[in-house]
Amino acid sequence: MIKSKTKIEQQTKRKTNSELVETIREARKHENWVELASMLSNPRRKKRELNLDQLNKENGNDTLLFPGKILSLGEANKKFKIVALKYSGKAEEKLKRAGCQISYIIDEIKTNPSAKGVKIIR
């Protein structure tokens, strides 16, 4: 269920991570990214992490977007374009070694405001 923009703004006011706040506000500006803003504005206890071995289970040619942190457990076996809020140092290194394109959510919102070809990993 997607929250209203007002609820997202209220939850964003409680955030102290300026990078996260900027990402949420940028996502809220574009209609196609409101669902992501809703996910990112959740409380910290609902934040998500994803290991590389779980990422290998995904398929398709779309840009994979994960609203959380990518961790380094496992190996990246496929070449993806991956967009996430954060990456651990080792995960970033392994993804680059596997030939994956990595970027951050705020950069993807700015370059692709229509969210075309983006698949959100839940």
Side-chain angles (χ1 to χ4, degrees):
M1 184 172 133
I2 299 175
K3 301 174 207 161
S4 69
K5 287 185 178 183
T6 306
K7 178 73 172 176
I8 294 169
E9 182 62 28
Q10 288 172 348
Q11 288 182 321
T12 304
K13 286 180 183 177
R14 294 186 213 129
K15 306 286 182 205
T16 57
N17 181 340
S18 60
E19 189 176 310
L20 176 62
V21 170
E22 184 182 347
T23 302
I24 293 170
R25 288 201 174 124
E26 192 66 35
R28 237 181 73 232
K29 290 178 188 176
H30 304 285
E31 196 60 39
N32 297 327
W33 291 99
V34 172
E35 181 182 359
L36 176 69
S38 175
M39 290 174 168
L40 292 175
S41 67
N42 282 335
R44 187 182 309 158
R45 69 180 177 273
K46 291 186 178 181
K47 291 298 178 216
R48 301 184 46 214
E49 296 173 338
L50 182 75
N51 283 309
L52 292 178
D53 57 355
Q54 295 167 307
L55 191 61
N56 285 326
K57 296 176 185 173
E58 296 296 325
N59 55 11
N61 297 336
D62 293 338
T63 299
L64 300 177
L65 185 140
F66 183 69
K69 186 173 186 174
I70 305 285
L71 302 175
S72 66
L73 184 69
E75 290 294 325
N77 299 330
K78 301 176 184 176
K79 290 187 179 183
F80 291 117
K81 179 175 182 192
I82 302 167
V83 180
L85 188 62
K86 294 181 182 179
Y87 298 91
S88 72
K90 285 190 176 186
E92 195 170 343
E93 188 179 298
K94 286 181 179 183
L95 287 167
K96 285 181 180 176
R97 201 174 333 125
C100 296
Q101 293 179 334
I102 63 169
S103 66
Y104 294 91
I105 292 175
I106 192 150
D107 299 329
E108 187 66 22
I109 293 170
K110 289 177 181 177
T111 59
N112 185 6
S114 65
K116 186 174 183 185
V118 174
K119 177 183 174 188
I120 297 176
I121 302 172
R122 299 181 191 281

